[in-house]
Amino acid sequence: MMKIIDYVIESTNKYIEQMPKEIRKKNGQFFTSKETALFMASLFDLSSFSKEISILDPGAGSGILTAALVQRIIDTDKIKTIKITCYETDGDILELLNKNLLWIRDNSPLKIEYKIVKDNYITSQTLEYNNMLGACTEPEKYDVIIGNPPYLKIGKTANEALSMPDICYGAPNLYFLFMEMASFNLVDNGELVFIVPRSWTSGAYFKKFREKFLSEVTLKHIHLFVSRDKVFDKETVLQETIIIRAKKE
């Protein structure tokens, strides 16, 4: 039988072939390669999980990272139930994401529950993140979060920037807002693995974010790529990219 990751990669490649690159670039949409996705999934420490695990994939795209992580969990042969939450707002890819998650559920030896949240990952949690009146008193938290967030500069008056004023300085980039919101969404001792540009590690624009993020999580692993242009499948991304694994402790 076809492996879960191979099915999702194959269906994604078909999507990439028929979707103009200009549209994908406008949405900050770059798809992770199979090798990178499997490597990211391999970084999680799953030793403490015996029966059930909850996964969040913010900005899920076609579900490549979720598929890689499910594949890893199946191979560990300990966990029996996986609860998946995927955020995605791009109407062009929602149908493919749903089709892929359905296939994963129906072709996995484990019990899989999934939901797709068709809402903005950042702005939909404004009240909870800022602990404002009307916020959900017990926002959902996840055991593990895996992410390839959109790499997209936004204006300082964009709704996403206004949702997270404590970490924004100047014109922010969506990717580090996703990183900080993921930290907020983790359970204690939960882990996140993200593939992001290296730019957040220095400079004044990112200082407020760095201070907050690194006060909440401990970096456990940083992976640097030797080549800039082999990270994303069928894409030309010349930005220096890193993979980080961080634990909320």
Side-chain angles (χ1 to χ4, degrees):
M1 192 177 104
M2 183 182 263
K3 282 197 164 189
I4 282 166
I5 184 66
D6 292 325
Y7 175 86
V8 174
I9 288 289
E10 195 175 286
S11 68
T12 303
N13 286 342
K14 288 176 185 171
Y15 169 84
I16 290 172
E17 284 163 14
Q18 55 92 30
M19 182 57 63
K21 189 168 186 176
E22 298 72 40
I23 293 176
R24 290 187 286 111
K25 191 174 179 183
K26 194 179 94 180
N27 293 329
Q29 192 181 71
F30 300 100
F31 293 97
T32 323
S33 70
K34 175 183 173 182
E35 292 73 21
T36 303
L38 289 172
F39 174 68
M40 288 172 68
S42 76
L43 293 176
F44 286 101
D45 177 7
L46 302 178
S47 59
S48 62
F49 298 98
S50 56
K51 291 182 180 177
E52 185 177 298
I53 190 169
S54 60
I55 298 170
L56 171 64
D57 185 348
S62 63
I64 292 172
L65 291 179
T66 293
L69 189 47
V70 170
Q71 192 74 62
R72 162 89 196 283
I73 293 166
I74 290 169
D75 294 342
T76 60
D77 201 31
K78 272 175 64 184
I79 298 161
K80 304 302 179 195
T81 302
I82 306 174
K83 293 185 174 179
I84 299 166
T85 300
C86 289
Y87 275 80
E88 186 54 59
T89 56
D90 183 353
D92 291 326
I93 207 165
L94 274 167
E95 188 182 340
L96 176 61
L97 175 62
N98 190 57
K99 182 180 157 196
N100 285 343
L101 290 173
L102 193 61
W103 196 91
I104 290 170
R105 188 195 71 184
D106 293 346
N107 291 274
S108 166
L110 310 180
K111 183 186 176 188
I112 291 183
E113 300 170 18
Y114 77 86
K115 67 176 177 181
I116 298 172
V117 183
K118 300 169 189 176
D119 208 344
N120 185 302
Y121 176 59
I122 304 298
T123 59
S124 64
Q125 300 188 85
T126 303
L127 298 181
E128 287 73 24
Y129 178 79
N130 295 289
N131 199 20
M132 295 165 79
L133 195 65
C136 175
T137 51
E138 290 186 18
E140 200 164 348
K141 304 285 181 177
Y142 304 88
D143 298 318
V144 291
I145 302 177
I146 191 165
N148 172 17
Y151 305 171
L152 209 59
K153 280 186 180 175
I154 58 173
K156 56 187 177 184
T157 58
N159 289 333
E160 291 87 353
L162 297 175
S163 293
M164 305 180 80
D166 57 336
I167 60 166
C168 289
Y169 172 81
N173 196 304
L174 267 181
Y175 81 81
F176 78 79
L177 301 185
F178 270 67
M179 290 169 72
E180 174 55 34
M181 192 62 85
S183 168
F184 172 73
N185 288 147
L186 273 179
V187 299
D188 290 339
N189 294 311
E191 290 187 341
L192 63 84
V193 173
F194 267 60
I195 181 166
V196 287
R198 201 179 76 173
S199 50
W200 70 274
T201 58
S202 63
Y205 273 147
F206 303 94
K207 188 181 178 191
K208 288 167 78 175
F209 160 65
R210 276 197 306 273
E211 287 175 349
K212 184 166 191 202
F213 186 69
L214 297 174
S215 73
E216 297 166 337
V217 301
T218 305
L219 289 178
K220 296 292 188 181
H221 188 106
I222 299 175
H223 179 82
L224 303 172
F225 289 92
V226 176
S227 170
R228 290 187 183 199
D229 61 353
K230 304 280 194 298
V231 182
F232 296 100
D233 210 17
K234 297 175 170 52
E235 309 284 9
T236 307
V237 180
L238 295 179
Q239 187 152 214
E240 282 195 81
T241 311
I242 63 175
I243 291 171
I244 63 159
R245 171 183 156 230
K247 187 170 185 178
K248 191 162 187 176
E249 57 182 18

